[in-house]
Each structure stands twice: as C-alpha cells, then as structure tokens.
C-alpha cells in the first residue's frame, strides 16, 4: 500500500461532502443568521485542523501537495470522521490507514449468540486477525479442542502450530507444508494491515526466534488472506472429517467468524452428529482449526 497514488478528485469531493455534513454546533461554533454554506466553511475546517486556509482550499480544489498522515489525522478529527471514513480519507490521499482500534478480546453478544445457535449443527469460532481464538461453541471445542488462555500466545493458532509439534497430529502429514504456508501468508497480511502495531510485532519476533520453519516461510513474503478452504481433521473418536471452512468478517473490528461445514455428499455430517453426542471428552486440543 506504500506508494499508492493520490486520487485528488475523489479526495476533494470527499472533503467537501464531509465538511457539509458537520454542523457548526457539532464543533462548538455559532452558525449565525447569515450562514449560507451547508455545514462548515473551508476556513473553519482549516482552523480546526490547525492548517492554513489556503492549503485546505487547494485540497478541495484537487490541487496542492499530498497531505501527510499527520495532517490527515487532524482533518479526520476536525470533520468528526468515524474510523471507516478516516481510513478512506487516508487511502484517497495515497497513504496506509493508521492502525485502527483493535477488536481486542471482547466478542460482542450478537456473535456469542450466533455461536450458541450454531452449536447443535456447525462448529464455529471467533478469532482476531492475528489468529487468537476468542470464542468457540461447544461443537468447535469438541472438534478442534480448547485453547490455553494462561500463556502469552497459548490461544494463538499460528504460535501453537509452529512451536508445539503435537498440534499437527490431527492433520494428515502431507497437508502440513501447505498449512504452514497458509498460516504465515495470512499472518503476513494481518501484520501489513496493522502497520506498526506492537502486539503483531511481538508475535512475529517471538515466532522468528522460536521456529526456523516460520522464519524461512516469513522470508518468502507470501501474502494471502484466508477466506475459505477445505481441511481434514483426524479426530481420535469419530475418525476423519472433511470440512469446508468459511471465514466471515465481523464489522466491529479485526475479528472473523470461522464456520466448519460438511461438504455435500460426504459422511462428515454423520460424524459431526456423533461428535455432538461424544462431546469434547478424550480429545487433545489442536491448532489449525481456527485458520
């Protein structure tokens, strides 16, 4: 995303329309009886953003130099832009969006309700973009195992995949290399989106120091967000399950819902039905499921 061209016309239009949507009272200004301009005046936006009026006017006229990320941040605050609109402003100016608020560990009640509703038929879990498992329904725990929340990266599927050899046991050996590349390419995409996020940086630094395999794959700089795939889990009780993995992005942040469904014509649905009865007894936790 570095080196993207600035879209001057779209930037000018977006600034103008955003300015017109802000009422003077929203920013502590008195409208006055003679105000004919909808929203704020250009000079008022410039003053709120701490920049010269001439520079701002040139931006709305699709002229002038590319604004810096710092200046864009000031404009976003002056125009009362939300996170999505702020990111759009940066992209129009040819900059990477700033590292936004992370979804963190909090899973919203709507997603938790969805997991519970699916528990009778579909394994499902919520992860953040770095691969931390944030929530699972009962069937996902029975299929994929629980996660450790004590150690620093105990619930991170990438960390466990590359540092705990037993986590690969439930997956066919011929799939290990592909899964390793998938983990690294997806993590690389997440780290790129987050910019200089320290949490992402620490995870990558620890993985580089802990796994020569990860370091070798990371050096290849492959980038690919995982959206859907097919996987096979060798469950110790119900046997082999072929599953389609569908990744749904949650709108409230860098979280994703992963659904595991049986392919048409397979016997996986019957095995999942048996797994609902067996539950998560006698099952050793695994790692790939979240990815």
């Amino acid at each position: 995303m570095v080196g993207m061209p600035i879209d001057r016309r779209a930037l000018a239009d977006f600034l103008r329309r955003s300015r017109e949507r802000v009422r003077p009272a929203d920013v502590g200004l008195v409208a006055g009886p003679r105000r004919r301009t909808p929203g704020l005046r250009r000079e008022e936006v410039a003053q709120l953003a701490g920049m010269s009026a001439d520079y701002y006017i040139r931006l709305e006229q699709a002229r002038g130099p590319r604004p810096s990320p710092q200046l864009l941040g000031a404009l976003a605050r002056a125009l009362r832009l939300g996170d999505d609109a702020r990111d759009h402003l940066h992209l129009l100016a040819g900059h990477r969006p700033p590292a936004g608020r992370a979804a963190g560990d909090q899973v919203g009640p709507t997603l938790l309700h969805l997991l519970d509703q699916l528990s009778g038929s579909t394994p499902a879990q919520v992860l953040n973009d770095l691969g931390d498992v944030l929530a699972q329904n009962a069937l996902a725990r029975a299929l994929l195992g629980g996660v450790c929340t004590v150690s620093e990266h105990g619930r991170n599927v990438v960390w466990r995949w590359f540092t705990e050899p037993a986590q690969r046991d439930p997956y066919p050996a011929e799939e290990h290399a592909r899964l390793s590349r998938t983990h690294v390419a997806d993590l690389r995409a997440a780290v790129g989106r987050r910019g200089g996020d320290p949490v992402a940086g620490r995870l990558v630094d620890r993985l580089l120091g802990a796994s020569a395999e990860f370091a070798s794959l990371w050096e290849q700089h492959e980038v690919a967000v995982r959206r859907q795939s097919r996987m096979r889990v060798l469950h110790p009780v119900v046997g082999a399950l072929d599953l389609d993995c569908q990744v749904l992005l949650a709108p409230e942040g860098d979280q994703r819902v992963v659904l595991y469904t049986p392919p048409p014509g397979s016997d996986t649905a019957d095995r999942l039905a048996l797994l609902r009865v067996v539950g998560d007894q006698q099952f050793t936790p695994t790692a790939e499921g979240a990815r």
Side-chain angles (χ1 to χ4, degrees):
M1 196 170 294
V2 176
M4 287 178 56
I6 179 174
D7 189 338
R8 297 185 186 279
R9 290 187 178 276
L11 176 62
D13 184 68
F14 181 69
L15 288 172
R16 177 177 59 81
R17 294 182 183 276
S18 298
R19 171 174 61 82
E20 292 174 349
R21 283 192 288 265
V22 182
R23 296 175 302 174
D26 294 337
V27 294
L29 298 177
V30 178
R34 293 187 175 183
R35 180 179 292 268
R36 296 191 299 268
T37 303
L40 298 178
R41 298 187 176 100
R42 292 170 171 175
E43 294 79 7
E44 291 170 338
V45 174
Q47 182 179 5
L48 290 169
M51 58 189 297
S52 73
D54 178 67
Y55 188 97
Y56 180 79
I57 290 171
R58 283 187 290 160
L59 287 179
E60 281 206 11
Q61 293 174 342
R63 301 186 296 116
R66 181 202 305 262
S68 68
Q70 293 77 16
L71 188 55
L72 292 170
L75 282 172
R77 291 188 293 273
L79 295 170
R80 300 300 192 264
L81 300 183
D83 289 343
D84 294 335
R86 175 207 62 192
D87 291 351
H88 184 65
L89 175 65
H90 279 74
L91 290 170
L92 291 178
H95 290 292
R96 182 197 305 273
R101 69 186 190 285
D105 295 348
Q106 189 67 35
V107 179
T110 301
L111 289 184
L112 293 176
H113 177 73
L114 174 63
L115 295 189
D116 290 339
Q117 293 300 305
L118 291 171
S119 194
S121 60
T122 304
Q125 50 190 13
V126 180
L127 300 86
N128 66 16
D129 58 334
L130 296 179
D132 293 327
V133 180
L134 306 180
Q136 300 171 295
N137 64 15
L139 196 53
R141 286 192 297 272
L143 173 68
L144 305 168
V147 295
C148 172
T149 59
V150 178
S151 61
E152 180 179 6
H153 299 304
R155 62 182 177 177
N156 185 274
V157 296
V158 186
W159 173 260
R160 299 177 71 190
W161 179 261
F162 285 102
T163 64
E164 302 177 16
Q167 299 300 320
R168 304 189 182 198
D169 291 346
Y171 306 96
E174 61 271 21
E175 289 291 300
H176 289 183
R178 179 185 66 84
L179 294 172
S180 292
R181 290 181 61 188
T182 299
H183 280 312
V184 176
D186 190 57
L187 179 61
R188 171 73 80 169
V191 171
R193 287 192 304 272
R194 285 179 173 234
D197 177 64
V199 175
R202 175 164 174 77
L203 174 61
V204 172
D205 288 344
R206 292 200 68 197
L207 280 164
L208 290 171
S211 170
E213 179 191 11
F214 177 87
S216 176
L217 291 171
W218 188 258
E219 188 176 353
Q220 294 180 26
H221 211 127
E222 292 183 343
V223 182
V225 177
R226 184 167 183 175
R227 296 181 174 88
Q228 60 183 12
S229 62
R230 180 164 292 184
M231 60 182 280
R232 167 166 283 199
V233 176
L234 308 176
H235 195 279
V237 177
V238 301
L241 299 96
D242 294 310
L243 295 158
D244 287 329
C245 307
Q246 182 66 49
V247 179
L248 310 176
L249 298 181
E252 57 263 49
D254 296 326
Q255 294 182 356
R256 55 187 70 176
V257 181
V258 187
L259 307 178
Y260 306 91
T261 58
S266 71
D267 64 352
T268 296
D270 295 333
R271 296 179 186 271
L272 283 176
L274 177 59
L275 187 59
R276 284 195 295 273
V277 178
V278 174
D280 57 2
Q281 298 178 8
Q282 304 176 356
F283 183 60
T284 301
T286 69
E288 154 59 15
R291 309 294 281 184

